[in-house]
Amino acid sequence: MKFKDLKISTKLFLGFSAVILILFIVGLSEYRTLRTIQKQVTDEVKGFQLTCMNMGSRTLAIRDLYYLMEIKDSKNLDVLKQWQDNHLKNKESFKKVLTDANDMAVGTDWGRDFQEEKAKISGLVSKLDSSYNHIAGEQLFRMIEIKTSILEGGEGTRIKSNELDTLHKQVIAEVSTMNLLYNELEAN
């Protein structure tokens, strides 16, 4: 049976079926292309968000370093307490930013291409968190303890002042290490 021998209704049906099949194939192809583009854009947006979080946490860390300097240079207990309170508020913000960055880095909806990068970012965030905890925890509270003792007067003020200076230098060295971690995080 030849095509020209078919009824007009059959010819129309076959013609429209062919058009619908072509439209379906083109639509499916476009859908897959759009999904690929969406995935790439999502990954780029997440990368940008991680960069912004990195800058935000770095800003908070720098602010905390400023608070540490003010704590070291405080002239009375009220000012010392104010800087300590500022530090505690800043610490909460820093922790939230790092937690959000880590959650995003280990999110399961990133493409397979980013598995290695996610692991690196997560590891760097963990190192930053650990460094920050050491500086903003043990060392900071030791500095506050020493400074409080100095401001209250008493014996050994000169020795405590030297200990405060030594601790301050250690904090600056650890902040430099944190800065290297930030640079590495930015590179990823």
Side-chain angles (χ1 to χ4, degrees), residues 64-65 67-69 71-72 80 84 87 91 130-148 163-178:
D64 228 18
L65 181 60
Y67 294 155
L68 287 170
M69 298 303 130
I71 286 169
K72 180 184 177 289
L80 180 65
Q84 183 180 3
H87 157 71
K91 184 177 181 179
S130 176
S131 293
Y132 182 80
N133 282 336
H134 186 252
I135 293 169
E138 300 166 23
Q139 291 184 325
L140 173 79
F141 288 110
R142 181 67 185 138
M143 285 178 74
I144 291 171
E145 183 181 278
I146 294 168
K147 189 63 179 186
T148 301
E163 184 181 352
L164 184 63
D165 288 340
T166 302
L167 191 55
H168 179 256
K169 288 175 186 172
Q170 289 173 352
V171 166
I172 289 175
E174 289 193 28
V175 167
S176 295
T177 302
M178 278 184 73

Side-chain angles (χ1 to χ4, degrees), residues 46-62 94 97-98 100-102 104 121 124-125 128 178-188:
K46 284 188 176 195
F48 178 72
Q49 287 174 326
L50 277 172
T51 300
C52 290
M53 287 178 179
N54 176 30
M55 290 188 312
S57 68
R58 191 176 219 167
T59 301
L60 291 167
I62 289 168
F94 182 86
V97 169
L98 272 189
D100 290 348
N102 194 45
M104 183 177 294
I121 291 169
L124 289 170
V125 168
L128 279 171
M178 278 184 73
N179 193 43
L180 294 174
L181 288 172
Y182 275 115
N183 291 340
E184 191 175 340
L185 187 60
E186 284 175 0
N188 286 313

Side-chain angles (χ1 to χ4, degrees), residues 149-150 152-160:
S149 177
I150 290 170
E152 289 175 345
E155 294 181 24
T157 302
R158 182 175 162 91
I159 294 170
K160 290 178 183 174

Side-chain angles (χ1 to χ4, degrees), residues 7-59:
K7 293 184 193 178
I8 290 183
S9 63
T10 306
K11 288 178 183 178
L12 286 173
F13 176 76
L14 289 173
F16 281 117
S17 296
V19 169
I20 290 173
L21 180 64
I22 290 170
L23 286 175
F24 177 77
I25 292 169
V26 168
L28 183 62
S29 172
E30 289 303 312
Y31 175 77
R32 292 180 65 190
T33 301
L34 288 175
R35 292 287 294 169
T36 302
I37 291 170
Q38 178 188 15
K39 181 187 168 310
Q40 290 171 344
V41 169
T42 300
D43 289 342
E44 289 297 320
V45 167
K46 284 188 176 195
F48 178 72
Q49 287 174 326
L50 277 172
T51 300
C52 290
M53 287 178 179
N54 176 30
M55 290 188 312
S57 68
R58 191 176 219 167
T59 301

